[in-house]
């Protein structure tokens, strides 16, 4: 039997580890955190991600996870409402965007995997480095109880996120696609009647506010990279006040009333890039380790889950065959990248567009935003814009599990 080590139990790593183990392949999943709740994790699942989970046999894990389905989307520009749109479940193939507790989802996936005799979970332990023999990766070294331990593998899957050690080992270089922005991320109590997602665009700022799985109001304040330092020195109340100046009067009043209750505000450095070559003999990168996704359009978790489906399609047949050679596995790794690059490139390019307009401080920024706001007030143009951005909810092409 072939043996796989998966590095990192985020959405990409936990789901591919479960699927391979479920198909009879020996899998060791290594996760550096003891507790999934400690790290920031994206929370919005799109229909594409929900469908991927269901195909992977993880629909029950999702059903156990706390969630909140968005019922409406509203866009404001310079504090004025441009439109409110109902998020009709039928339009979203029965799955409107869902705010979930990602830590709870990951716990449910690994709990399900741990019932399989082919699955081993090593938790609270970091992969330190990859071990190579004549250009082929033969396993990883983990640091456990102050001692290094070698885990041999026919294949290492690096699903260890944006600061991946596996990516560093490959050293294939990256293509940067990063829009120049940062996000201030914090939670407040949720107003009683907050329906789903509201976006406030205005003068070089964007505030996104959504109803979370735990019935809080999650704020994501998108700002130009490097502009937060000044405000941070002035303290939380100063930047809550700055946000309040760019939103509708009802939210401004809510922000001012609850500024004392702002929970764990922190700055997230956003990155968007893609590694130039996701594999080498014995190793494959997937998820953010291969292509770090920006937060625009809530895509990263969904893309990571769809990577897992495609990876399984190629790997299950060949890893179940004990006589498969390294060359055959390497060829499958190239095919996985080739298939996934189409969607990843398309979506990363789509994600780069809105920040360029929304955050622009060039002379043309404000007139373009006003024009866009005016146009989006018309239902017909809104429909066209939704078609142009349909890759966000549905992906670029059908991704179906075939194994
Ligand atoms: C502000 C912001 C908001 C976002 N919001 C959304 C959203 O709403 N919806 C969405 O779909 N996406 C969102 N994203 C993107 C999303 O969070 C990522 O794209 C997604 O988590 C990638 O999944 P992954 O499994 O590839 O990696 P990760 O989720 O990063 O998981 C990697 C795992 O590897 C572990 N690890 C790292 N190094 C090691 C090591 N050496 N040894 C062992 N384990 C290791 C980590 O602890 C982690 O558990 C957002 C991103 C940002 C920055």
């Amino acid at each position: 039997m072939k043996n796989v080590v998966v590095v990192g139990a985020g959405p990409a790593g936990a789901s591919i580890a479960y699927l391979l183990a479920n198909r009879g392949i020996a899998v060791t999943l290594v996760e550096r955190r003891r507790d999934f709740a400690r790290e920031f994790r994206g929370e919005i699942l799109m229909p594409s991600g929900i469908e991927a989970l269901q195909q992977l046999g993880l629909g029950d894990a999702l059903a156990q996870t706390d969630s909140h389905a968005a019922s409406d989307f509203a866009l404001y520009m310079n504090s004025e409402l441009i439109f409110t749109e109902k998020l009709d479940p039928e339009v979203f193939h029965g799955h409107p965007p869902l705010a979930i507790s990602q830590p709870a989802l990951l716990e449910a996936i690994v709990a399900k995997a741990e019932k399989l005799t082919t699955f081993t979970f090593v938790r609270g332990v970091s992969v330190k480095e990859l071990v190579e023999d004549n250009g082929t990766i033969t396993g990883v070294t983990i640091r456990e109880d102050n001692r290094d331990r070698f885990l041999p593998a026919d294949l290492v899957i690096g699903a260890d996120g944006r600061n991946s050690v596996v990516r560093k080992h490959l050293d294939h270089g990256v293509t940067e696609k990063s829009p120049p922005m940062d996000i201030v991320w914090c939670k407040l109590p949720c107003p009683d009647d907050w329906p789903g997602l509201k976006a406030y665009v205005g003068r070089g700022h964007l505030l996104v506010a959504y109803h979370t799985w735990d019935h809080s109001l999650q704020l994501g304040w998108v700002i130009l990279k490097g502009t937060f330092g000044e405000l941070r020195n002035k303290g939380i109340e100063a930047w809550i006040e700055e946000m309040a100046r760019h939103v509708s009067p009802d939210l401004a009043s809510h922000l001012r009333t609850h500024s004392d209750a702002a929970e764990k505000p922190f700055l997230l450095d956003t990155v968007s890039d893609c590694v130039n070559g996701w594999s080498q003999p014995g190793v494959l990168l997937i998820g953010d380790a291969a292509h770090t996704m920006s937060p625009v359009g809530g895509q990263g978790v969904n893309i990571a889950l769809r990577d897992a489906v495609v990876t399984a399609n190629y790997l299950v047949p060949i890893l179940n065959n004990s006589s498969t050679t390294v060359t055959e596995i390497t060829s499958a790794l190239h095919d996985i990248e080739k298939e996934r690059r189409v969607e990843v490139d398309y979506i990363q390019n789509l994600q780069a567009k809105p920040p360029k307009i929304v955050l622009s401080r060039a002379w043309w920024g404000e007139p373009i935003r006003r024009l866009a706001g005016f146009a989006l007030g018309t239902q017909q143009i809104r429909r066209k814009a939704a078609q142009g951005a349909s890759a966000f909810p549905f992906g670029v092409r059908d991704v179906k599990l075939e194994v």
Side-chain angles (χ1 to χ4, degrees):
M1 194 199 299
K2 298 287 183 194
N3 146 42
V4 176
V5 168
V6 178
V7 187
S15 56
I16 190 63
Y18 166 75
L19 201 280
L20 294 180
N22 184 260
R23 298 296 189 271
I25 296 153
V27 178
T28 304
L29 174 62
V30 185
E31 166 55 47
R32 73 173 167 188
R33 299 276 176 184
R34 285 210 171 276
D35 175 359
F36 289 124
R38 276 210 212 141
E39 209 169 66
F40 164 77
R41 295 177 186 273
E43 291 191 328
I44 304 287
L45 268 185
M46 291 289 171
S48 63
I50 297 170
E51 282 163 16
L53 277 169
Q54 289 173 341
Q55 288 187 47
L56 289 161
L58 294 168
D60 51 351
L62 178 59
Q64 289 166 32
T65 303
D66 289 331
S67 64
H68 181 266
S71 60
D72 293 72
F73 170 67
L75 177 70
Y76 292 76
M77 201 159 285
N78 296 332
S79 315
E80 278 173 31
L81 179 66
I82 302 293
F83 69 85
T84 304
E85 192 79 65
K86 278 250 160 277
L87 300 178
D88 178 356
E90 257 181 52
V91 172
F92 289 95
H93 303 175
H95 306 302
L98 206 55
I100 54 145
S101 160
Q102 203 196 114
L105 176 65
L106 295 175
E107 287 294 358
I109 296 174
V110 294
K112 193 167 165 156
E114 278 181 313
K115 295 193 178 121
L116 304 166
T117 52
T118 42
F119 179 83
T120 308
F121 189 29
V122 182
R123 188 192 269 249
V125 168
S126 280
V127 166
K128 290 291 170 201
E129 56 194 25
L130 274 67
V131 178
E132 194 167 333
D133 182 18
N134 265 336
T136 299
I137 299 301
T138 55
V140 301
T141 308
I142 57 173
R143 187 80 184 153
E144 208 175 25
D145 303 329
N146 288 328
R147 289 197 357 232
D148 285 347
R149 178 153 76 99
F150 173 59
L151 296 180
D154 296 296
L155 177 66
V156 173
I157 298 182
D160 46 344
R162 54 157 80 182
N163 299 314
S164 164
V165 293
V166 183
R167 175 197 276 213
K168 280 188 196 113
H169 183 98
L170 257 65
D171 196 20
H172 286 177
V174 295
T175 303
E176 302 271 352
K177 301 185 174 180
S178 183
M181 60 190 211
D182 286 327
I183 295 199
V184 184
W185 201 249
C186 88
K187 270 185 180 178
L188 289 181
C190 195
D192 289 339
D193 53 352
W194 202 269
L197 177 66
K198 296 187 183 184
Y200 297 84
V201 178
R203 300 178 202 92
H205 292 263
L206 167 65
L207 181 79
V208 175
Y210 67 83
H211 188 144
T212 63
W213 56 274
D214 61 352
H215 308 296
S216 302
L217 186 67
Q218 178 68 60
L219 302 176
W221 187 30
V222 182
I223 53 175
L224 279 173
K225 209 172 248 324
T227 56
F228 184 61
E230 244 176 75
L231 268 182
R232 186 179 38 209
N233 296 338
K234 291 184 191 160
I236 293 179
E237 288 201 357
W239 64 259
I240 292 254
E241 185 52 41
E242 175 70 11
M243 281 195 287
R245 281 207 285 274
H246 295 280
V247 298
S248 53
D250 60 328
L251 180 59
S253 141
H254 186 79
L255 292 178
R256 289 178 180 126
T257 309
H258 294 281
S259 64
D260 287 351
E263 213 182 280
K264 295 186 222 138
F266 57 99
L267 186 72
L268 284 163
D269 175 23
T270 78
V271 181
S272 172
D273 65 25
C274 191
V275 174
N276 305 325
W278 301 357
S279 68
Q280 119 179 17
V283 61
L284 171 71
L285 296 171
I286 61 170
D288 267 21
H291 47 72
T292 305
M293 304 300 288
S294 107
V296 176
Q299 291 296 293
V301 174
N302 305 277
I303 293 284
L305 293 168
R306 285 159 72 83
D307 282 1
V309 173
V310 172
T311 302
N313 283 344
Y314 285 95
L315 292 184
V316 167
I318 57 173
L319 293 180
N320 262 325
N321 178 351
S322 54
S323 57
T324 299
T325 62
V326 171
T327 312
E328 285 164 331
I329 297 176
T330 306
S331 161
L333 304 184
H334 287 137
D335 291 342
I336 293 165
E337 176 178 354
K338 195 169 160 209
E339 182 167 339
R340 290 304 294 147
R341 278 299 283 260
V342 177
E343 179 160 286
V344 168
D345 286 345
Y346 184 94
I347 288 191
Q348 286 189 326
N349 290 336
L350 196 61
Q351 287 182 309
K353 285 179 184 157
K356 280 187 193 146
I357 297 171
V358 168
L359 298 182
S360 172
R361 291 192 175 166
W363 65 267
W364 49 263
E366 196 54 23
I368 294 261
R369 283 191 289 272
R370 282 184 188 280
L371 190 66
F374 177 73
L376 288 170
T378 322
Q379 204 181 43
Q380 218 181 350
I381 295 189
R382 231 165 32 238
R383 294 270 176 270
K384 281 238 174 296
Q387 275 166 14
S390 67
F392 281 162
F394 304 120
V396 173
R397 47 167 63 181
D398 269 359
V399 166
K400 292 265 174 276
L401 188 70
E402 290 156 7
V403 290

